[in-house]
Amino acid sequence: MIPALLRRLGQTLLVLFGVSVLVFAVFFATPGADPTARIAGRNASPQIMEKVRREYGFDRALPVQYATMMKKLFITRDLASYADRGELVVPQIEQAAPVTACLVCGAAFIWVSASIIMGTLAAAFRDTWVDRTLMLAGLVGISIPVFWLGQVTNLITQSRYHDTWLFSWVPGLGYVPFSEDPGGWFRALVIPWVVLAVMFIGIYSRVLRADLVALAGEDFMRTARAKGLSPTRVMLRHGLRTALVTFVSLFGLDFAQLVGGGALLTEVVFGLPGVGRLTYRALTNLDLPVIMATVMYSAIFVVVANAVVDMVYLLLDPRVRDAR
Amino acid sequence: MPADRMPLLDVRDLCVSVPGNGGMIPLVENVSFCVNEAEIVGLVGESGSGKSVTAMALMGLIDSPGVQVRGSARFRGQELVGMPAKALRTLRGRDIAMIFQDPMTAFTPVYTIGWQIDEQIRAHERLTRRAARARTVQLLAEMGVPDPARTAQRYPHQLSGGLRQRAMIAMALSCRPTLLIADEPTTALDVTVQAQILDLLRGLRHSHGSSVLLITHDMGVVAQTCSRTLVLYSGRMAESGPTTTLFARPAHPYTAALLDSIPPLYGSRPHRLPAIAGVPPTPRERPAGCAFGPRCAYVHATCLPAPPALAPIGAGQLAACVLPAEGTPLPPRTIAQGMQP
Ligand SMILES: Nc1ncnc2c1ncn2[C@@H]1O[C@H](COP(=O)(O)OP(=O)(O)OP(=O)(O)O)[C@@H](O)[C@H]1O
Ligand code: SF4
Ligand SMILES: [Mg+2]
């Protein structure tokens, strides 16, 4: 157990180091990325430019600058943004993370439930109109860009039909913290949840159906039927349970990348101040400290989520458990 | 027919076909046989001869789209063909149980052996979890599984092939079925384990009063185990009769060829039947006449227009070959004989 944890920790550090060096190098290799001019302001005199450069340490060697930035990010935690009048970066992330987590968890709940129901139904009614309709719906879900879907829902619920009884409950764009107003929190998030979930429902239900259909030809499914079990039980307790092993590993990775900032488009469209939107703003401003912090955050999350997936995998599949 | 003389399973003209090539392709044609109480009947044939299809059709387990099952299969007088799914389901596992060829893949990998046996017991009988587990452990013990209580808590992949097949048989017997269909139960096992499992099956007649329909492609297994034998070739019956008669006086050249290919009693046993030159035709390309024609050393003009009908030879023996009727039956097998006359 301990060696496994240490190994995982070592891997994490290695990943973080690699990713941060890459971000750092790409940033300084980008033409026009020199932050001095932006911090000093337009039309700054050469003296001020020089002062800023010295103050921020842009005149030092790149490895030194890198080390300083890492120290400020992870140890003293007082890394300041290059834009926004030097706002501290770590608190920004701490504020944004819960918003993203709420968005992604809600969406994940929706997409997991919906895709399990759709995938199982489609497999149970394979080659009938039920199957074809569900899988077509899934395909449509996959093909709709989330950005477009978000814009259209906004158009409908915020302006065009906002005054009808159907959508008058929809609050304006933005986030309401759960601690302030649980009802408002729910109303603010429910549409983003669904919009974010749509594509994943499509992917997951199709993957699950394919898995279940493949499993239906397995010997153990035939054994289960020969035992005299009902078709529902065969499908759920034997088929679905076995298919969950793949399902969970797929889920872990998608979930992690979304929490790490991959829900960027949804956050931008719905004005949710989450990690994705923070990354988006930092990228448009070429604000290295924030980019660096969000990327690190996201990398940590992916690694942690991977570890969790591995553990769940062990719980779900006895064969893997023994292979360790 | 009085009830006490009624066979346990009486199959008449069972036909199974699936759609294909713009029509129906017959997989199994006009198979008839019966299994009496506490009897072991062998169903033999090369790979692809329709043994599994026959067994699965009896259990209602073929689920390919558009499959057609015709004929009749009476189990204790109840017609199985066309029985409503729900009624068939209560028979399955409780009165007719099945064990499969490959014990490696026949258990669901994510549950323990014990859980899976409990599940079958509880599907058919109102028992507490604890009572079901007690029966499971007892069954495993009867099947010669060492340390049955611990074995019940293990996952399929943690057991050897032989143990898994024993567990499979324990599961099949868990509701005391009157008929056990064993589809090549020993093919995937090595020779010593194979002998043990066959012993176990033979013992079931006395210990559980079960009849067994034993599917195999191994004539050696049939000789050791079955009182009567049914030989299938390419989905059609070639010959049937008491095993001793069949072995002494095979009436169909295919049966004779199978007997010639019994591997020596000593020495390693090949995994599949040693080749009779050529391969059996697939259901799609079955010839109009005798299906064995292309490989038969005795083939002649009368064999070709239509499949020869199954005709009685004597003493419960039936064969689908023109030779006996033409007055040129195969010689009895006093000495080992080759295919050539
Ligand atoms: N569902 C199906 N649809 C179409 N063809 C099938 C189907 N099931 C079996 N067949 C075909 O029917 C033939 C008989 O198959 P079957 O599985 O009964 O053979 P078998 O005698 O059990 O052989 P083996 O010794 O290999 O188990 C084979 O040619 C097979 O390809
Ligand atoms: S009917 Fe003809 S071809 Fe068929 S087995 Fe008999 S002799 Fe051979
Ligand atoms: Mg078979």
Side-chain angles (χ1 to χ4, degrees):
Chain A
M1 193 66 204
I2 302 286
L5 274 180
L6 285 180
R7 204 172 52 226
R8 179 76 67 178
L9 194 68
Q11 278 171 4
T12 312
L13 291 180
L14 208 65
V15 168
L16 291 185
F17 177 72
V19 172
S20 56
V21 166
L22 198 68
V23 169
F24 198 81
V26 167
F27 182 80
F28 280 99
T30 310
D34 179 13
T36 318
R38 211 156 335 104
I39 297 171
R42 214 171 295 166
N43 308 327
S45 65
Q47 290 88 338
I48 293 184
M49 292 278 278
E50 192 51 39
K51 188 161 164 281
V52 167
R53 190 166 290 136
R54 198 134 9 89
E55 209 171 284
Y56 280 80
F58 296 138
D59 51 351
R60 310 270 202 90
L62 282 183
V64 177
Q65 286 193 42
Y66 171 80
T68 317
M69 179 170 275
M70 288 298 117
K71 187 186 112 214
K72 284 185 159 182
L73 179 57
F74 285 109
I75 300 171
T76 54
R77 298 165 72 81
D78 60 352
L79 186 63
S81 162
Y82 289 169
D84 295 342
R85 281 166 256 100
E87 205 184 321
L88 289 188
V89 170
V90 176
Q92 273 184 297
I93 299 250
E94 280 167 357
Q95 272 173 18
V99 180
T100 302
C102 289
L103 171 69
V104 176
C105 288
F109 178 77
I110 293 176
W111 99 59
V112 167
S113 336
S115 61
I116 286 185
I117 293 173
M118 281 172 62
T120 313
L121 276 180
F125 293 96
R126 159 167 150 217
D127 297 330
T128 64
W129 64 268
V130 179
D131 180 18
R132 280 190 285 273
T133 313
L134 286 176
M135 288 304 102
L136 190 69
L139 198 61
V140 171
I142 296 173
S143 357
I144 298 181
V146 66
F147 194 77
W148 180 86
L149 183 63
Q151 295 285 23
V152 170
T153 4
N154 275 345
L155 191 69
I156 293 174
T157 62
Q158 297 288 342
S159 49
R160 187 70 65 83
Y161 296 103
H162 184 71
D163 296 327
T164 65
W165 58 271
L166 199 53
F167 294 120
S168 53
W169 57 271
V170 180
L173 297 182
Y175 181 70
V176 182
F178 183 79
S179 51
E180 273 174 28
D181 173 11
W185 173 83
F186 183 81
R187 281 196 298 276
L189 280 178
V190 64
I191 292 179
W193 282 342
V194 173
V195 166
L196 178 57
V198 161
M199 178 183 76
F200 292 102
I201 293 177
I203 298 176
Y204 280 59
S205 59
R206 291 179 69 90
V207 167
L208 184 63
R209 176 199 178 270
D211 273 358
L212 285 174
V213 165
L215 281 178
E218 290 285 332
D219 286 356
F220 65 80
M221 294 293 276
R222 191 182 52 186
T223 309
R225 288 193 294 137
K227 281 160 82 170
L229 306 179
S230 70
T232 320
R233 190 173 171 101
V234 173
M235 182 56 106
L236 297 183
R237 293 309 289 267
H238 291 264
L240 183 59
R241 171 64 181 75
T242 311
L244 274 189
V245 177
T246 358
F247 193 86
V248 161
S249 45
L250 195 64
F251 174 77
L253 297 180
D254 281 333
F255 183 78
Q257 65 92 7
L258 285 181
V259 174
L264 184 147
L265 292 178
T266 316
E267 288 177 5
V268 171
V269 176
F270 291 103
L272 299 170
V275 180
R277 207 177 64 146
L278 197 61
T279 317
Y280 175 76
R281 283 225 318 268
L283 281 171
T284 36
N285 295 343
L286 280 178
D287 188 356
L288 179 64
V290 181
I291 296 176
M292 184 63 86
T294 50
V295 168
M296 290 291 93
Y297 171 81
S298 155
I300 290 176
F301 229 97
V302 170
V303 175
V304 168
N306 256 327
V308 173
V309 167
D310 278 2
M311 252 139 65
V312 175
Y313 212 74
L314 289 187
L315 279 181
L316 283 180
D317 194 338
R319 288 167 296 184
V320 184
R321 219 176 299 156
D322 285 354
R324 294 288 158 103
Chain B
M1 198 185 287
D4 56 325
R5 302 241 320 274
M6 188 169 67
L8 181 66
L9 176 70
D10 189 359
V11 180
R12 300 243 173 104
D13 293 323
L14 186 73
C15 305
V16 181
S17 40
V18 290
N21 284 1
M24 295 301 280
I25 300 176
L27 299 181
V28 163
E29 299 174 59
N30 300 316
V31 169
S32 307
F33 63 98
C34 60
V35 180
N36 295 313
E37 304 273 351
E39 185 186 31
I40 303 186
V41 173
L43 186 54
V44 224
E46 282 167 297
S47 189
S49 53
K51 308 182 295 289
S52 299
V53 169
T54 306
M56 305 266 280
L58 294 177
M59 295 279 279
L61 285 179
I62 304 182
D63 62 350
S64 347
V67 65
Q68 244 181 40
V69 181
R70 278 174 297 114
S72 145
R74 289 182 169 274
F75 175 74
R76 287 168 155 172
Q78 295 178 74
E79 181 57 61
L80 297 179
V81 176
M83 182 184 262
K86 197 145 183 234
L88 192 54
R89 216 154 63 221
T90 53
L91 281 184
R92 245 190 242 156
R94 194 188 66 190
D95 299 298
I96 309 177
M98 191 158 179
I99 46 186
F100 298 100
Q101 179 162 350
D102 192 352
M104 302 299 162
T105 53
F107 280 107
T108 306
V110 296
Y111 297 118
T112 62
I113 296 286
W115 188 95
Q116 301 190 46
I117 304 181
D118 296 351
E119 185 189 33
Q120 172 158 355
I121 298 175
R122 283 162 56 88
H124 296 289
E125 291 174 39
R126 300 177 67 87
L127 274 186
T128 62
R129 218 170 279 278
R130 186 183 295 257
R133 178 51 62 95
R135 161 127 41 116
T136 299
V137 171
Q138 190 200 338
L139 278 161
L140 286 173
E142 283 169 23
M143 295 308 123
V145 173
D147 198 357
R150 275 227 0 256
T151 307
Q153 289 165 14
R154 312 194 62 182
Y155 289 94
H157 72 276
Q158 297 170 323
L159 303 181
S160 69
L163 275 186
R164 256 185 266 188
Q165 197 58 294
R166 282 167 195 271
M168 199 70 209
I169 298 176
M171 181 156 88
L173 293 177
S174 60
C175 297
R176 309 183 208 297
T178 33
L179 177 63
L180 182 65
I181 301 178
D183 191 351
E184 311 207 27
T186 58
T187 309
L189 307 175
D190 64 48
V191 183
T192 38
V193 185
Q194 191 172 4
Q196 292 165 1
I197 298 287
L198 287 178
D199 262 343
L200 196 62
L201 288 179
R202 269 194 297 267
L204 294 181
R205 269 177 307 172
H206 312 295
S207 60
H208 292 74
S210 313
S211 309
V212 181
L213 178 62
L214 179 65
I215 298 177
T216 176
H217 56 248
D218 188 335
M219 275 295 199
V221 168
V222 172
Q224 294 167 33
T225 326
C226 306
S227 54
R228 280 184 312 115
T229 301
L230 176 77
V231 182
L232 278 190
Y233 183 78
S234 187
R236 298 172 185 158
M237 286 179 68
E239 185 164 6
S240 73
T243 307
T244 43
T245 319
L246 233 62
F247 273 61
R249 288 191 307 279
H252 196 287
Y254 180 57
T255 315
L258 283 180
L259 291 172
D260 287 331
S261 65
I262 296 182
L265 215 49
Y266 302 101
S268 67
R269 174 166 292 179
H271 195 64
R272 291 262 145 186
L273 272 182
I276 303 169
V279 288
T282 65
R284 277 165 200 274
E285 55 202 26
R286 209 168 278 164
C290 175
F292 190 54
R295 300 164 77 190
C296 180
Y298 304 90
V299 62
H300 54 288
T302 35
C303 311
L304 301 179
L310 206 58
I313 309 294
Q317 190 180 8
L318 296 168
C321 175
V322 296
L323 293 180
E326 289 173 353
T328 50
L330 296 180
R333 280 172 52 90
T334 41
I335 42 164
Q337 283 181 328
M339 286 281 297
Q340 300 307 318

